[in-house]
Amino acid sequence: MQRQVVITQEDVPLLQKMSHTLGFLCADMVQKANSGHPGAPMGLADIASVLSFHLNLSPKNPAWLNRDRLIFSGGHASTLVYSLLHLWGFDVSMQDLQSFRQFGSKTPGHPEFKHTQGVEITTGPLGQGIANAVGKAMASKYATNLFGREIFSHFVYCLCGDGDLQEGISYESASLAGHHKLSNLIVIYDSNNITIEGDTHIAMSENIRGRFEAQGWEVLECDGHNFLQIHNTLESAKSSSKPSLIIAKTIIAKNALSLEGSHKAHGAPLGEEIIAKAKQKLGFPLESFHIPCDVAFAFGMMKERGELLELQWQKQVDNLPQIARERFEAMVKMDISNISYPQFEVGQSVATRVSNGKILNAISAGVEGFIGGSADLAPSNNTTLENEGDFPQGKNWHFGIREHAMGAICNGVANYGLFLPFCATFFVFSDYMSPSVRVASLMKARVYYIWTHDSIGVGEDGATHQPIEQLSHFRAMPNLLVFRPADANENVACWQVALDSNLPCAFVLSRQNLPVLMPYNADLKEKVKKGAYILQECENADITLMASGSEVSLAINAGKALEQAGIKARVVSVPCFDLLLEQSKSYVKELCGESKILAIEASRGLEWYYVADEVISMKGFGASGKGEMLLNHFGFSVENILKVAETLCKK
C-alpha cells in the first residue's frame, strides 16, 4: 500500500536540521564508546532524512508483513541504524544509544537481527546485505504473485558502499535481480570513493553504471547532499520496471571539518574538539545526544503513519477470498503438522540424496511456504519440487551457479516472514556459502542446506570435488545442526528434528546408494534428537563403533567381522554430532559403556576425538577413481577397521 510522498523546497530547512541531528548523534555515539565508524553515517545522514519520509514502517508492529524493508549492507554504519530506529519510535532508547558497543547493550558494533528491534537482518561481512535484499525482493515478488499487490506492495531498500560492490557476492546477486526484473528493489550506493586504505582508485576503477545496466538494472544518479534530488531520484526508482541502483555522490564524514572527505574518519572517533567545532559552525547545540523537538516530531511521524497503514492493510487481508486467506494464514503460522513423510523398506538400496528428494516433496505438499532450489544442480541434488512451477510463480527457485549469493539470498527469504527456504549444491562447494551460513547461524535463521556428494565416495571427479574438511568446519559452527543420515528412514527422522528445531540445518547426503538399515518408527525421531543412538547392541562390548552417513553400514559389517574374531562390538549411529555434543557425558557412557570407542568417518573427523579413543578418517585429500575403490584405499574397509580395532582393544 504505497502513498504519495511530496517534498518541496519549503521542507529543506527541516530536512537539514534532521540531517545534522542524525550526523551528530552518530558522532556522539562513536565518541562516547571511543570506538566505531562515524564517517559513513555522517555522509549518509542527508539521504536517511529524506528516506524517512518514503519508508512505510510500523514501529508498533516491527513484523508487519507489508512494511518496507531497509537493509544496511555496510553494517559499520550501525550508529545511523540505531539513531534512526530510536527517532522512528522502535524499542531503542536514548540509553541504548549511549551504550553503543558496550557489553549487553541493544546497540552492538554491527546490527544483529532479533537482538535489536527494527533490524531486518544481520549484515556483518560486506556484500551480504545486497544479496539479502535480493532475497527479500524475491520473496516479495513471489508473495505478490500469490496474494496480489493489495497485500504486498512494499519496497526493499538497501544502503551499500564501495566495499559492498567490490565483494563478488554483490555481482552474483545483482545478476539474478536483473534477470528477474525485481522492480521492488532499490539499492542506494553511498559513492564516497573512500575505503579504509584511502581513495577507492587505488583498487577500483570500473564503470559501476555500465556494470549494473549490463545486468538489467535501472541506474540513477544524484547528489547525496541535495535533498530535492534525493527525493526525486527515489520517486523515479519507485516507478521503474527494473531493480534500481541510485548512485548517490556523497562526502564521507560530511560536516566534520578537517576530517570531511578523509579515510581517517572511516573507523575512528572524530575527537571531542572537532565535534564541538563542527556543531558550533552549524549553530547546533553543543550538548551530546541532543535531539531538537521539531526533529523528534518529524521523525516520530513514522509510528502513527505506520499504524494507520497497517490498519488499512489488515482490512485488505480480511477481504481476501476464503481460500486465499486460509493459505495466507497457514503460511504466516508456518505449520508443519500436515506433512506425510515417505517411508522406505529395509533392504532397499537408496542414496540419501534420492530419499531426501522424496522427503522435500512431502514437506512441500504439507507446508505452503516451503520453497527453494539449487545452484544449477537440481537433477544431481534431487531438489526439484514436482509440479510446483518455477519462480516467480512457483516454488522452484533457480539460483544459477551462484552459491555465494544463494546462501545470502536465502537468509533474506527466511527473514521475510512467510517462507521456509532450502538451497542446495555439492558439499565441496559449501565453501562458497560459508559466510552466509555463518550469518544464518548467528541469526538462527531457518534455512535448510542440502549438500550432496558428501565424501570420497564421489569417485571419479577426483580430489577437487571430494569434501574432506567441510564436515568438521560446519559442525564447529554454533547454532547450526548438521545431519548426516545413515539411510533413508533416518533421513526422515533428521528432517522431523530439523523442522522442530528453529535453527538453520544442513543435510550432508550421499551420492552412492546406501542400504536401508532400519524400519521407520516414531522412536527413531526421539533417538535422532539426542544426536546418536545404539543401532546394533552388544552386551559387555569390548568396542563401540561410532559412525555417520555411509560409514554406518560399513560399521555394521565390521561389527560382524569383529564378532567372528572374538571381539564384542556395538554399533552407534551418529546422525547429528552437534546434538550429541549437547548431551551429558553420562549419555555417551550410556551408549558406549566401558568399551573402547572407534569412530569411522570418510572426512577429516578431528572432532571425533571428543568422544572416541581412535578415529579412522581422512588424513589428506582424496583422488580420482571408483568410489568403492577409493574407500578401500583410504582405509574405509572391514579389514582395516578390524585391524585398528584389534590394536585398540589391546591397549
Side-chain angles (χ1 to χ4, degrees):
M1 183 173 296
Q2 292 302 315
R3 59 193 170 79
Q4 187 176 11
V5 180
V6 178
I7 294 178
T8 67
Q9 187 63 43
E10 293 179 356
D11 301 307
V12 169
L14 175 59
L15 284 164
Q16 189 69 77
K17 195 172 182 181
M18 293 168 68
S19 173
H20 290 162
T21 302
L22 267 180
F24 288 129
L25 268 180
C26 296
D28 288 339
M29 288 172 68
V30 173
Q31 191 63 41
K32 189 173 190 304
N34 197 30
S35 173
H37 304 77
M42 295 182 76
L44 281 167
D46 292 340
I47 293 171
S49 298
V50 176
L51 194 57
S52 291
F53 290 96
H54 284 263
L55 288 169
N56 294 332
L57 302 172
S58 182
K60 187 175 180 180
N61 177 18
W64 173 38
L65 278 172
N66 197 39
R67 70 189 182 279
D68 290 328
R69 271 64 168 183
L70 176 60
I71 295 170
F72 285 76
S73 192
H76 55 270
S78 56
T79 53
L80 184 60
V81 181
Y82 301 139
S83 297
L84 287 169
L85 292 175
H86 169 72
L87 291 164
W88 288 336
F90 287 87
D91 185 21
V92 177
S93 68
M94 177 57 74
Q95 181 59 47
D96 294 325
L97 298 188
Q98 294 173 349
S99 301
F100 176 57
R101 287 194 165 212
Q102 303 310 300
F103 179 75
S105 74
K106 291 181 185 176
T107 51
H110 288 72
E112 298 177 24
F113 179 66
K114 295 180 182 175
H115 185 84
T116 309
Q117 188 189 79
V119 170
E120 290 286 356
I121 202 154
T122 301
T123 56
L126 289 175
Q128 287 278 323
I130 296 178
N132 298 153
V134 172
K136 287 182 180 290
M138 290 178 72
S140 173
K141 185 163 187 173
Y142 181 48
T144 301
N145 285 335
L146 290 176
F147 300 107
R149 286 199 59 79
E150 296 81 8
I151 309 301
F152 291 100
S153 59
H154 68 85
F155 286 95
V156 178
Y157 295 91
C158 177
L159 286 163
C160 77
D162 294 295
D164 295 292
L165 296 189
Q166 287 181 25
E167 293 285 2
I169 190 172
S170 68
Y171 197 102
E172 287 185 26
S173 52
S175 174
L176 194 60
H179 173 73
H180 285 301
K181 296 181 172 59
L182 301 180
S183 58
N184 55 349
L185 175 61
I186 299 173
V187 175
I188 302 170
Y189 168 30
D190 176 26
S191 180
N192 59 28
N193 298 117
I194 293 293
T195 58
I196 291 174
E197 294 183 353
D199 193 288
T200 54
H201 288 111
I202 63 175
M204 182 182 183
S205 57
E206 68 187 280
N207 180 345
I208 296 295
R209 168 180 280 277
R211 164 180 160 184
F212 276 82
E213 286 180 339
Q215 291 184 299
W217 286 58
E218 184 83 39
V219 180
L220 307 164
E221 297 190 44
C222 72
D223 177 347
H225 303 299
N226 183 309
F227 297 106
L228 294 181
Q229 275 194 37
I230 296 166
H231 166 68
N232 291 332
T233 307
L234 284 169
E235 285 293 299
S236 296
K238 286 156 69 174
S239 63
S240 176
S241 60
K242 304 175 182 179
S244 296
L245 176 74
I246 297 175
I247 301 175
K249 294 295 183 182
T250 60
I251 301 172
I252 194 171
K254 184 79 165 67
N255 299 318
L257 304 179
S258 61
L259 290 177
E260 183 180 274
S262 170
H263 69 279
K264 294 178 181 179
H266 170 77
L270 301 177
E272 291 181 1
E273 183 179 354
I274 285 181
I275 293 174
K277 287 183 177 179
K279 288 179 178 179
Q280 190 174 29
K281 181 179 179 181
L282 294 173
F284 198 83
L286 295 180
E287 66 180 278
S288 296
F289 297 95
H290 177 71
I291 302 174
C293 292
D294 53 347
V295 168
F297 180 80
F299 278 113
M301 289 191 298
M302 178 77 76
K303 196 166 188 177
E304 287 71 25
R305 186 173 72 230
E307 188 174 354
L308 175 61
L309 289 169
E310 185 180 359
L311 286 171
Q312 294 171 343
W313 173 82
Q314 187 59 53
K315 290 181 181 178
Q316 298 282 359
V317 173
D318 294 340
N319 289 330
L320 281 171
Q322 183 176 349
I323 294 176
R325 190 170 66 253
E326 289 175 353
R327 187 180 191 186
F328 177 81
E329 291 170 354
M331 291 176 70
V332 171
K333 291 177 182 177
M334 295 186 183
D335 185 6
I336 58 171
S337 63
N338 297 315
I339 303 170
S340 297
Y341 290 97
Q343 295 185 21
F344 302 87
E345 293 182 10
V346 174
Q348 278 185 282
S349 187
V350 186
T352 47
R353 64 168 174 162
V354 173
S355 61
N356 197 73
K358 297 180 185 299
I359 296 167
L360 291 180
N361 274 274
I363 297 170
S364 174
V367 181
E368 289 280 2
F370 189 72
I371 55 92
S374 173
D376 196 51
L377 289 169
S380 293
N381 296 146
N382 286 81
T383 51
T384 300
L385 302 179
E386 302 296 339
N387 303 314
E388 289 290 356
D390 294 336
F391 179 86
Q393 281 78 31
K395 285 188 167 190
N396 290 292
W397 293 28
H398 300 283
F399 295 102
I401 308 165
R402 303 182 182 95
E403 294 91 349
H404 198 1
M406 175 176 71
I409 285 169
C410 284
N411 287 349
V413 175
N415 283 11
Y416 186 79
L418 284 177
F419 306 109
L420 293 175
F422 69 86
C423 56
T425 188
F426 290 168
F427 191 29
V428 75
F429 301 144
S430 64
D431 287 345
Y432 284 130
M433 302 177 64
S434 185
S436 57
V437 177
R438 186 176 190 274
V439 174
S441 300
L442 274 164
M443 296 188 293
K444 297 183 179 179
R446 296 179 73 181
V447 181
Y448 302 95
Y449 306 101
I450 315 300
W451 291 327
T452 68
H453 298 59
D454 68 337
S455 73
I456 56 173
V458 170
E460 291 91 340
D461 277 339
T464 61
H465 281 54
Q466 294 165 7
I468 301 298
E469 74 283 3
Q470 285 79 4
L471 194 52
S472 296
H473 170 204
F474 286 109
R475 281 176 175 163
M477 196 171 286
N479 301 335
L480 176 69
L481 298 182
V482 181
F483 295 93
R484 189 168 182 246
D487 74 355
N489 285 327
E490 193 177 85
N491 200 3
V492 171
C494 288
W495 267 104
Q496 291 174 318
V497 173
L499 289 171
D500 284 343
S501 72
N502 293 319
L503 290 173
C505 299
F507 290 82
V508 180
L509 308 168
S510 74
R511 172 181 182 259
Q512 69 272 32
N513 288 336
L514 303 178
V516 178
L517 302 171
M518 66 205 90
Y520 178 83
N521 56 58
D523 291 341
L524 190 54
K525 176 184 174 182
E526 297 305 311
K527 292 175 180 177
V528 169
K529 275 185 181 178
K530 293 188 174 182
Y533 62 94
I534 297 171
L535 181 58
Q536 185 171 288
E537 181 58 288
C538 176
E539 291 187 15
N540 302 315
D542 301 309
I543 193 166
T544 297
L545 304 180
M546 303 185 81
S548 75
S550 55
E551 288 78 72
V552 173
S553 58
L554 173 62
I556 289 176
N557 292 334
K560 294 174 182 176
L562 286 166
E563 290 285 349
Q564 292 175 1
I567 299 174
K568 295 180 180 179
R570 175 189 295 113
V571 177
V572 170
S573 177
V574 188
C576 185
F577 194 86
D578 310 279
L579 291 175
L580 175 60
L581 291 183
E582 293 179 6
Q583 310 309 313
S584 64
K585 287 283 189 179
S586 61
Y587 182 68
V588 177
K589 189 81 170 176
E590 181 184 330
L591 289 175
C592 304
E594 300 296 329
S595 72
K596 297 287 187 178
I597 302 174
L598 174 60
I600 309 158
E601 193 165 70
S603 186
R604 192 69 182 95
L606 296 177
E607 64 274 18
W608 282 102
Y609 285 103
Y610 180 81
V611 294
D613 298 296
E614 187 57 77
V615 181
I616 296 175
S617 63
M618 292 295 294
K619 304 301 188 289
F621 293 108
S624 183
K626 295 289 185 184
E628 188 175 343
M629 184 275 292
L630 292 174
L631 288 165
N632 278 305
H633 173 77
F634 287 105
F636 301 98
S637 64
V638 170
E639 292 75 21
N640 188 54
I641 294 170
L642 183 59
K643 177 183 175 182
V644 175
E646 287 176 336
T647 302
L648 182 60
C649 288
K650 290 176 183 177
K651 290 183 179 180

